[in-house]
Amino acid sequence: AVAEELRGLLGLSDIAVEVLDLPHNPTPSARVANVGFLVTVGEQRVLHVGDADPTVANFAPHRLAERGIDVAIVPFWYLTDRNDAVRRAIGARRWIATHIPPADAEAIRRQVLEVVPGAVVLIAPGERHSLP
């Protein structure tokens, strides 16, 4: 249903949306639901993980690295040294970092770009990045 609505809104016939069960980052309350979206438009695959817990076990069942992810939109902490295995499990060609606290924006941008050169780091509310 989501893919059909997007096709109509965008005037596209070649779009698919897959909803992935990706457990939420741990929270003090009961398990908060989270899903990721894998959107395929033509030959481009874009993954948005939402607030998924960055553990390999959460991503392994979806076999993303084997599926040719072109762009992954992830919280910035996915793009740090401690999450190298998660990045390999996703296997994206390009990365977009989100969830950056404004007070720490420049420090986080530097940290992300040290670990993943060429990543796009979205800092300002409402900031946009267009995919080719």
Side-chain angles (χ1 to χ4, degrees):
V2 173
E4 306 239 344
E5 285 183 43
L6 283 173
R7 282 187 200 110
L9 288 172
L10 301 174
L12 299 170
S13 60
D14 193 13
I15 186 169
V17 178
E18 185 177 342
V19 180
L20 309 175
D21 179 21
L22 293 171
H24 198 282
N25 240 339
T27 63
S29 62
R31 181 177 185 239
V32 176
N34 183 75
V35 295
F37 294 96
L38 180 57
V39 179
T40 304
V41 179
E43 298 296 318
Q44 291 280 316
R45 286 188 182 85
V46 179
L47 173 69
H48 187 285
V49 303
D51 291 328
D53 188 8
T55 61
V56 173
N58 289 340
F59 290 94
H62 303 293
R63 302 171 65 142
L64 296 169
E66 299 170 22
R67 297 171 73 180
I69 305 302
D70 294 293
V71 179
I73 304 166
V74 298
F76 75 89
W77 51 87
Y78 280 59
L79 305 181
T80 62
D81 285 332
R82 72 176 191 262
N83 284 312
D84 186 52
V86 172
R87 286 193 306 280
R88 283 194 311 272
I90 294 171
R93 291 174 189 68
R94 296 178 59 203
W95 299 90
I96 298 177
T98 63
H99 287 278
I100 289 113
D104 301 324
E106 285 310 313
I108 290 171
R109 180 192 301 273
R110 284 190 302 274
Q111 179 185 14
V112 165
L113 293 176
E114 281 178 21
V115 176
V116 183
V120 172
V121 182
L122 298 178
I123 293 176
E127 186 173 356
R128 295 175 184 218
H129 176 75
S130 295
L131 302 173

